[in-house]
Amino acid sequence: MLMHLWLYSPSKYYDSGKPGELRSKMNENSHSLLSDYEGDSRPLLEKMISGNLFTICAPIIRKDAVFTVNGFNDSLNWVEDWDFYIRLLASGIQLKYCSSDDAACLIRVHNRSLSKKNLNMMEHLFRLENLNKVLSKIRIEGVHSGSLKKANNLQIRFLHRSLFSNYLKQDKFLSLEHLFGYFLLDRNLKVLIKGFFGLLSGKNVFDDKSA
């Protein structure tokens, strides 16, 4: 039986009009993509919680491995590649890294690809909330899906808090929405009430570490 294989290469970014100036991240706030790792994919699951480790055009994946996890979920609008990669990692696919710069995936960065901070966080939140559905189906020897979901929920709480603060003076409705999203995970009524009064006054209560 042939081994399910995932071969990936480096990804390099360059600004529009400057193809000779390559870098490993889209911008300074972006998370780092995976490089050099080889072997069983499952230890990478926790890293994938914090962000996608691969650009869409960097991996070459065996067709039988794609069929094993039922391919892409085309009901997702933004993060179908990330969801697909999570399911592939959970399947225990074997990773191989091609380090040659000749095989690098080059991505042009232009003004439209540099998203605003809030939109980046909203996309990340969307990823994490969908991840729980994927994690609940994972059955891996030595890995408990509950521990991955717990770590994931901590990330979701943090993003709800950050979005509450960022939308506080721009859009009170969205700010309130993220306050309730935080409460559903934190279950701290005192913080909910404090956040609600902070919303009315325009004060960021999460500046207070006691919150």
Side-chain angles (χ1 to χ4, degrees), residues 94-114:
Q94 294 295 308
L95 271 69
K96 295 290 183 182
Y97 180 61
C98 177
S99 60
S100 172
D101 285 339
D102 291 335
C105 170
L106 303 181
I107 303 114
R108 181 172 67 94
V109 178
H110 48 83
N111 290 336
R112 286 175 295 176
S113 63
L114 298 174

Side-chain angles (χ1 to χ4, degrees), residues 49 52 70 103 108 126 135 144 155 169 176 180 192 206:
I49 288 176
N52 199 338
N70 298 318
R108 181 172 67 94
F126 180 82
L135 293 178
H144 192 273
Q155 294 273 1
K169 295 182 179 179
L176 179 62
F180 276 110
L192 177 65
F206 290 126

Side-chain angles (χ1 to χ4, degrees), residues 1-3 27-28 47 60 73-74 93 100 104 110-111 131 145 149-150 153-154 156 183 210:
M1 181 177 178
L2 292 173
M3 180 186 298
N27 56 60
E28 61 181 13
K47 283 189 175 183
I60 298 175
N73 179 357
D74 57 13
I93 194 170
S100 172
H110 48 83
N111 290 336
L131 176 56
S145 65
K149 288 175 70 175
K150 183 177 180 180
N153 284 337
L154 288 174
I156 294 174
F183 171 71
S210 65

Side-chain angles (χ1 to χ4, degrees), residues 2-72:
L2 292 173
M3 180 186 298
H4 292 165
L5 183 64
W6 173 327
L7 175 68
Y8 69 104
S9 63
S11 291
K12 302 289 185 181
Y13 296 90
Y14 66 93
D15 291 324
S16 183
K18 300 179 181 179
E21 299 177 16
L22 302 177
R23 58 183 184 275
S24 59
K25 298 169 67 174
M26 179 179 286
N27 56 60
E28 61 181 13
N29 296 319
S30 302
H31 66 276
S32 297
L33 299 171
L34 188 71
S35 64
D36 296 332
Y37 181 87
E38 295 192 342
D40 193 311
S41 62
R42 289 169 289 190
L44 299 175
L45 277 170
E46 289 198 40
K47 283 189 175 183
M48 284 290 279
I49 288 176
S50 62
N52 199 338
L53 299 174
F54 307 91
T55 55
I56 187 63
C57 42
I60 298 175
I61 303 163
R62 288 186 59 88
K63 183 169 68 173
D64 53 346
V66 175
F67 289 156
T68 296
V69 298
N70 298 318
F72 284 86

Side-chain angles (χ1 to χ4, degrees), residues 164 168 172 193-205:
F164 166 82
L168 194 57
K172 289 189 181 296
I193 294 172
K194 189 172 183 179
F196 182 73
F197 282 106
L199 184 67
L200 294 177
S201 66
K203 180 183 177 182
N204 179 14
V205 296

